[in-house]
Amino acid sequence: MTYTVLTGSVPVYRHGPDGRPELVAEVSAGETRRITAGQWVVEHADAAHFGANREPVPLVIVTSSLLRAGAPLATPVELQASPR
C-alpha cells in the first residue's frame, strides 16, 4: 500500500525478533511510504492521511480502532491542490 501523510506524523511498525513491535519508520506530513505485508501504522487524530493500492493484486487491510463513544471511524477532509 502506498501511504501518504498530509498532516501530523504516523509511525510504522513490524514485529521485532523478540515478538515486540519494532519501529520501522515515521511518515511525516508531505511524505509517502510503501507499507508492506506485516507492517502496521498507528494513526492519531491529528494525522490526515490517505492510502492507495498501486499493485495489480488485491490488498487486505485489517483495522482496529479505539474511539470515544459515538465518534466516527474516519473524518473525510478535502484535499487542497498544491501550488505548482
Side-chain angles (χ1 to χ4, degrees):
M1 176 174 77
T2 300
Y3 186 83
T4 301
V5 175
L6 303 172
T7 62
S9 65
V10 177
V12 180
Y13 295 96
R14 69 173 174 214
H15 282 102
D18 60 359
R20 294 178 184 213
E22 177 178 81
L23 183 65
V24 174
E26 188 86 19
V27 187
S28 297
E31 295 180 343
T32 298
R33 178 180 176 84
R34 188 165 180 246
I35 306 299
T36 61
Q39 293 181 341
W40 68 90
V41 297
V42 177
E43 300 168 341
H44 298 278
D46 67 338
H49 65 279
F50 65 92
N53 181 12
R54 305 204 188 277
E55 302 296 325
V57 295
L59 172 69
V60 175
I61 298 174
V62 177
T63 183
S64 176
S65 301
L66 296 173
L67 305 168
R68 290 187 185 128
L73 185 56
T75 305
V77 296
E78 248 185 79
L79 298 178
Q80 304 263 334
S82 52
R84 296 189 188 259

